[in-house]
Amino acid sequence: FGPQRLSGQNVVVTAGGTQEPIDPVRYIGNRSSGKMGYAVAQAAVTMGAKVILISTRPELPVPAGLHKIIYVETAAQLQGTVSSVFEGADVVVMAAAVADFKPDQYVTHKIKKKPHPTDMQLTLNQTPDILAMLGQQKTHQFLIGFAAETEDLLQNAQTKLTAKKVDLLVANDVSQADRGFGADQNAVTLLRPTAAPETLALADKSVIATQILERVANLLA
Ligand code: C5P
């Protein structure tokens, strides 16, 4: 039981919310700050892993000791990037809040206001579920998903665990201001296919990240 419990493991972490452009100046986004994913990446480095971080947040400080950081914006770019490193990964942590919907069309010029206020429609398409695709494709990889919910947290998380074929699901109540999106702290429940749920008490995201990866190291050992 030492600090280097993930040495020799290739860990891929996605972090932040994707942005789906409407036109050159507007996008559909979400409230994910990237802090939880960055905390997981940093904790994995500390535990000796070779870490690739796929991030939507170029303004955040780069965790020391990463093998590589790759910046993306859209769900499609995140999908392409995570797919390209999936085969070589031992552990994949999908902490990013990937857009579930994107504009049907990208308008190449800034959409102008009408002279008189009028209703406008924006048609959205559902994006492919990257985590579910990885769940189908995985061979040896240990796959971790996140579920941010505002109601029926455990029930929704349990459904995702099964439907997406993940090995560990981190369920996150984002209806409270002191935890989850944007906050420095988090309180989560860990769900696994065969074990009872385990709740981790409110703590700094760095502490939660280490606790999650300790569980992973135990399961890989
Ligand atoms: O179903 P939901 O989007 O809430 O699931 C959250 C989990 O699924 C997260 O781990 C997130 O990274 C992943 N996800 C994904 N592709 C999507 C939507 C979510 O990989 N299009």
Side-chain angles (χ1 to χ4, degrees):
F1 204 90
Q4 298 291 296
R5 297 193 65 213
L6 290 177
S7 73
Q9 303 288 342
N10 292 317
V11 175
V12 173
V13 182
T14 68
T18 65
Q19 298 183 356
E20 309 302 322
I22 299 168
D23 70 17
V25 300
R26 305 181 179 98
Y27 62 86
I28 295 176
N30 63 65
R31 295 187 188 280
S32 170
S33 64
K35 286 178 187 171
M36 193 64 230
Y38 271 62
V40 172
Q42 185 69 76
V45 169
T46 303
M47 290 170 71
K50 187 171 160 186
V51 180
I52 297 178
L53 177 58
I54 302 172
S55 168
T56 70
R57 295 279 170 196
E59 73 280 10
L60 290 182
V62 180
L66 284 184
H67 176 61
K68 200 195 265 191
I69 186 161
I70 305 171
Y71 293 110
V72 298
E73 283 183 7
T74 65
Q77 290 167 357
L78 193 142
Q79 179 178 7
T81 305
V82 78
S83 298
S84 71
V85 295
F86 188 59
E87 174 123 6
D90 301 302
V91 178
V92 177
V93 186
M94 288 288 290
V98 184
D100 293 322
F101 313 99
K102 70 172 183 53
D104 179 49
Q105 284 181 18
Y106 173 72
V107 179
T108 54
H109 57 272
K110 182 183 173 189
I111 301 168
K112 304 303 287 181
K113 275 189 278 197
K114 306 283 185 295
H116 302 289
T118 139
D119 289 349
M120 295 174 71
Q121 264 85 43
L122 185 62
T123 304
L124 302 178
N125 300 141
Q126 202 156 313
T127 56
D129 193 310
I130 302 166
L131 182 61
M133 288 180 38
L134 299 178
Q136 293 290 339
Q137 287 168 18
K138 72 175 178 186
T139 49
H140 59 284
Q141 295 89 346
F142 190 94
L143 191 57
I144 303 176
F146 277 66
E149 300 287 347
T150 55
E151 55 191 4
D152 300 330
L153 176 67
L154 289 186
Q155 197 180 314
N156 283 320
Q158 186 63 50
T159 304
K160 277 176 207 179
L161 176 78
T162 312
K164 301 190 185 207
K165 296 191 182 356
V166 303
D167 300 297
L168 179 69
L169 197 96
V170 183
N172 202 171
D173 184 345
V174 291
S175 66
Q176 298 173 66
D178 64 343
R179 60 196 69 179
F181 283 162
D184 289 326
Q185 293 198 314
N186 213 351
V188 301
T189 301
L190 306 182
L191 303 182
R192 289 177 42 215
T194 51
E198 181 190 5
T199 296
L200 304 181
L202 188 66
D204 282 355
K205 286 181 173 174
S206 60
V207 173
I208 299 286
T210 302
Q211 290 174 325
I212 293 169
L213 293 178
E214 288 288 352
R215 307 300 183 273
V216 174
N218 290 342
L219 292 164
L220 294 176

